[in-house]
Amino acid sequence: MIYADFSYYKDTYCGEMAEGDFKRLSRQASAYLDSVTFDRIAAVTDEKIMERVKEACCAVADVLLQKEQRDGIASETNDGISVTYTTEGSTEEQRLYRAAVLYLGNTGLLYRGVE
């Protein structure tokens, strides 16, 4: 299940990616959220928590787009000008998880213990 549609991304989240990119990446973002929440989102009935799930989906999709745009480039040189792109000392998985935690941190969805 895809948790946020493009109109939500553009109008509420105020995202900037193109619709085609969002449609593709929101599917991956939703799958990621299902993974880190152990498929608990399907059982959520609280509208406030579902709103946070939509926001998390948009945030994770933005991180996925940034990853695609970087495509693993650590540095580049063009006509004598050298530019190095940093990853803020974190791995791809950490950036994805931080984007999800920002919105889902206090919902109980990311709890890794036994219920």
mmCIF file of all heavy atoms in Angstrom, residues 87-96 98:
data_model
loop_
_atom_site.group_PDB
_atom_site.id
_atom_site.type_symbol
_atom_site.label_atom_id
_atom_site.label_comp_id
_atom_site.label_asym_id
_atom_site.label_seq_id
_atom_site.Cartn_x
_atom_site.Cartn_y
_atom_site.Cartn_z
ATOM 1 N N THR A 87 28.395 12.978 2.806
ATOM 2 C CA THR A 87 27.173 12.268 3.181
ATOM 3 C C THR A 87 26.878 12.456 4.654
ATOM 4 O O THR A 87 26.175 11.671 5.254
ATOM 5 C CB THR A 87 27.307 10.767 2.871
ATOM 6 O OG1 THR A 87 28.418 10.259 3.604
ATOM 7 C CG2 THR A 87 27.479 10.516 1.402
ATOM 8 N N GLU A 88 27.413 13.525 5.245
ATOM 9 C CA GLU A 88 27.196 13.861 6.644
ATOM 10 C C GLU A 88 27.573 12.716 7.580
ATOM 11 O O GLU A 88 27.020 12.564 8.659
ATOM 12 C CB GLU A 88 25.741 14.265 6.876
ATOM 13 C CG GLU A 88 25.335 15.469 6.067
ATOM 14 C CD GLU A 88 23.860 15.764 6.150
ATOM 15 O OE1 GLU A 88 23.124 15.032 6.852
ATOM 16 O OE2 GLU A 88 23.438 16.721 5.528
ATOM 17 N N GLY A 89 28.487 11.880 7.161
ATOM 18 C CA GLY A 89 28.984 10.815 8.011
ATOM 19 C C GLY A 89 27.990 9.708 8.282
ATOM 20 O O GLY A 89 28.107 9.002 9.270
ATOM 21 N N SER A 90 26.976 9.559 7.449
ATOM 22 C CA SER A 90 25.994 8.519 7.701
ATOM 23 C C SER A 90 25.788 7.664 6.464
ATOM 24 O O SER A 90 26.034 8.082 5.343
ATOM 25 C CB SER A 90 24.668 9.128 8.139
ATOM 26 O OG SER A 90 24.123 9.903 7.101
ATOM 27 N N THR A 91 25.307 6.487 6.682
ATOM 28 C CA THR A 91 25.044 5.585 5.579
ATOM 29 C C THR A 91 23.651 5.838 5.030
ATOM 30 O O THR A 91 22.843 6.541 5.633
ATOM 31 C CB THR A 91 25.142 4.122 6.045
ATOM 32 O OG1 THR A 91 24.081 3.879 6.981
ATOM 33 C CG2 THR A 91 26.481 3.813 6.668
ATOM 34 N N GLU A 92 23.364 5.257 3.906
ATOM 35 C CA GLU A 92 22.048 5.384 3.285
ATOM 36 C C GLU A 92 20.942 4.909 4.224
ATOM 37 O O GLU A 92 19.919 5.578 4.384
ATOM 38 C CB GLU A 92 22.019 4.571 1.982
ATOM 39 C CG GLU A 92 20.682 4.575 1.296
ATOM 40 C CD GLU A 92 20.315 5.947 0.763
ATOM 41 O OE1 GLU A 92 21.218 6.746 0.474
ATOM 42 O OE2 GLU A 92 19.104 6.207 0.650
ATOM 43 N N GLU A 93 21.147 3.789 4.861
ATOM 44 C CA GLU A 93 20.135 3.251 5.778
ATOM 45 C C GLU A 93 19.879 4.209 6.936
ATOM 46 O O GLU A 93 18.734 4.408 7.350
ATOM 47 C CB GLU A 93 20.584 1.886 6.308
ATOM 48 C CG GLU A 93 19.615 1.245 7.271
ATOM 49 C CD GLU A 93 18.291 0.845 6.639
ATOM 50 O OE1 GLU A 93 18.231 0.650 5.420
ATOM 51 O OE2 GLU A 93 17.304 0.757 7.391
ATOM 52 N N GLN A 94 20.917 4.840 7.446
ATOM 53 C CA GLN A 94 20.736 5.789 8.545
ATOM 54 C C GLN A 94 19.924 6.998 8.108
ATOM 55 O O GLN A 94 19.068 7.481 8.846
ATOM 56 C CB GLN A 94 22.097 6.233 9.091
ATOM 57 C CG GLN A 94 22.802 5.158 9.869
ATOM 58 C CD GLN A 94 24.228 5.556 10.209
ATOM 59 O OE1 GLN A 94 24.867 6.306 9.465
ATOM 60 N NE2 GLN A 94 24.732 5.065 11.312
ATOM 61 N N ARG A 95 20.171 7.492 6.896
ATOM 62 C CA ARG A 95 19.406 8.644 6.402
ATOM 63 C C ARG A 95 17.937 8.282 6.227
ATOM 64 O O ARG A 95 17.055 9.070 6.571
ATOM 65 C CB ARG A 95 19.993 9.148 5.088
ATOM 66 C CG ARG A 95 21.256 9.955 5.301
ATOM 67 C CD ARG A 95 21.677 10.673 4.035
ATOM 68 N NE ARG A 95 21.986 9.767 2.947
ATOM 69 C CZ ARG A 95 23.168 9.204 2.760
ATOM 70 N NH1 ARG A 95 24.162 9.447 3.585
ATOM 71 N NH2 ARG A 95 23.362 8.403 1.745
ATOM 72 N N LEU A 96 17.665 7.100 5.704
ATOM 73 C CA LEU A 96 16.274 6.651 5.547
ATOM 74 C C LEU A 96 15.589 6.520 6.907
ATOM 75 O O LEU A 96 14.461 6.973 7.097
ATOM 76 C CB LEU A 96 16.224 5.310 4.806
ATOM 77 C CG LEU A 96 16.553 5.351 3.323
ATOM 78 C CD1 LEU A 96 16.689 3.933 2.786
ATOM 79 C CD2 LEU A 96 15.504 6.121 2.556
ATOM 80 N N ARG A 98 16.400 7.952 9.767
ATOM 81 C CA ARG A 98 16.206 9.259 10.402
ATOM 82 C C ARG A 98 14.994 9.982 9.836
ATOM 83 O O ARG A 98 14.256 10.652 10.566
ATOM 84 C CB ARG A 98 17.453 10.131 10.235
ATOM 85 C CG ARG A 98 18.517 9.851 11.269
ATOM 86 C CD ARG A 98 19.524 10.986 11.363
ATOM 87 N NE ARG A 98 20.018 11.437 10.072
ATOM 88 C CZ ARG A 98 21.229 11.193 9.607
ATOM 89 N NH1 ARG A 98 22.093 10.508 10.320
ATOM 90 N NH2 ARG A 98 21.598 11.644 8.436
#
